[in-house]
Amino acid sequence: MSDQGLFLTLEGIDGAGKSSHLDALEALFKAQGRTVVRTREPGGTPLAETLRGLILEQPMDPLTESLLVFAARRDHIVQVIEPALARGDVVLCDRFTDATFAYQGAGRGFDLAVLSTLEQWAQAGRAALPASTLLQPHVTLWFDLAPEIAAQRLAGARVPDKFEAQPVEFFRRVAQGYADRASADARRFVRIDASQTREQVWLQIESELTTRGVLAGRGAG
């Protein structure tokens, strides 16, 4: 329904090509009369964008990194995501909590149970949902790509941040982290074969969103 907010996230390892489809997704929903809030993580608010710079560029241990990620997420949820969903908007977000479990958890090897606790803390005390309910995307497009191919795509594209500069083995762990998250929440995740051409990827995105009843303002299915 048009008055129902939709929270759609794009996930995948660096180089998977997810961000390149945000323009088309935004245009698609706007063409159907929806108001779109386009955002990203870490980031999305002035405070969270400041924290993003620290997270992506400054060396730190996994706990410090995770605390900053969840601090940025808390501000992002309270200031941007929940108000937009309450208005009935479509929120298109480049990464969300799945990325934390994939990068800091699987990639860095940080304790998943601690990440789950931090997730609970970061989302506590919000009026929009009961205390025991975590805000999760309605649909997550997971751009699945072999880390070796992703590395080839990233090579020479720009000066890498500290994550993009990681070795392929790091991204193998991250990719497995995403696969584990998708397996645990198959109803929410849509696997996109990111090894296809850009045009083929877009056709798969349209098809999957149509099948799930997400397009034409019909809700998240």
Side-chain angles (χ1 to χ4, degrees), residues 20-98:
S20 65
H21 294 281
L22 279 166
D23 286 343
L25 278 167
E26 181 179 8
L28 181 62
F29 283 109
K30 284 183 174 180
Q32 296 178 348
R34 302 297 297 268
T35 299
V36 177
V37 173
R38 178 169 160 180
T39 188
R40 67 178 181 175
E41 288 215 350
T45 70
L47 172 60
E49 289 291 334
T50 298
L51 294 176
R52 177 188 177 90
L54 297 175
I55 292 164
L56 296 186
E57 302 298 339
Q58 296 299 317
M60 59 189 73
D61 73 6
L63 176 56
T64 303
E65 191 173 272
S66 299
L67 288 168
L68 291 181
V69 166
F70 278 109
R73 179 162 301 127
R74 169 72 181 197
D75 196 55
H76 190 206
I77 289 172
V78 171
Q79 301 294 335
V80 175
I81 297 175
E82 283 192 333
L85 294 176
R87 294 190 302 265
D89 296 348
V90 174
V91 177
L92 295 179
C93 192
D94 189 347
R95 301 194 193 283
F96 193 60
T97 305
D98 296 307

Side-chain angles (χ1 to χ4, degrees), residues 110-171:
F110 192 61
D111 191 327
L112 297 180
V114 175
L115 291 180
S116 294
T117 298
L118 293 176
E119 182 181 21
Q120 294 281 349
W121 289 355
Q123 295 206 25
R126 293 161 23 254
L129 290 172
S132 60
T133 303
L134 291 173
L135 175 66
Q136 294 286 6
H138 296 106
V139 178
T140 295
L141 300 177
W142 168 38
F143 290 72
D144 187 18
L145 184 68
E148 294 80 6
I149 299 175
Q152 292 172 6
R153 291 181 178 180
L154 283 174
R158 59 180 179 273
V159 176
D161 60 42
K162 76 178 187 185
F163 291 101
E164 293 169 338
Q166 292 293 315
V168 170
E169 182 54 40
F170 173 81
F171 288 106

Side-chain angles (χ1 to χ4, degrees), residues 144-218:
D144 187 18
L145 184 68
E148 294 80 6
I149 299 175
Q152 292 172 6
R153 291 181 178 180
L154 283 174
R158 59 180 179 273
V159 176
D161 60 42
K162 76 178 187 185
F163 291 101
E164 293 169 338
Q166 292 293 315
V168 170
E169 182 54 40
F170 173 81
F171 288 106
R172 290 196 187 103
R173 296 194 299 271
V174 174
Q176 184 59 52
Y178 274 124
D180 292 342
R181 294 283 288 183
S183 177
D185 198 354
R187 186 175 183 274
R188 172 167 64 87
F189 271 80
V190 176
R191 180 187 174 274
I192 302 298
D193 180 2
S195 67
Q196 305 174 98
T197 66
R198 183 170 178 171
E199 293 74 18
Q200 289 171 327
V201 168
W202 177 247
L203 288 175
Q204 185 184 355
I205 291 171
E206 282 191 304
S207 174
E208 294 284 2
L209 293 182
T210 299
T211 298
R212 287 176 174 248
V214 172
L215 297 182
R218 293 192 292 272

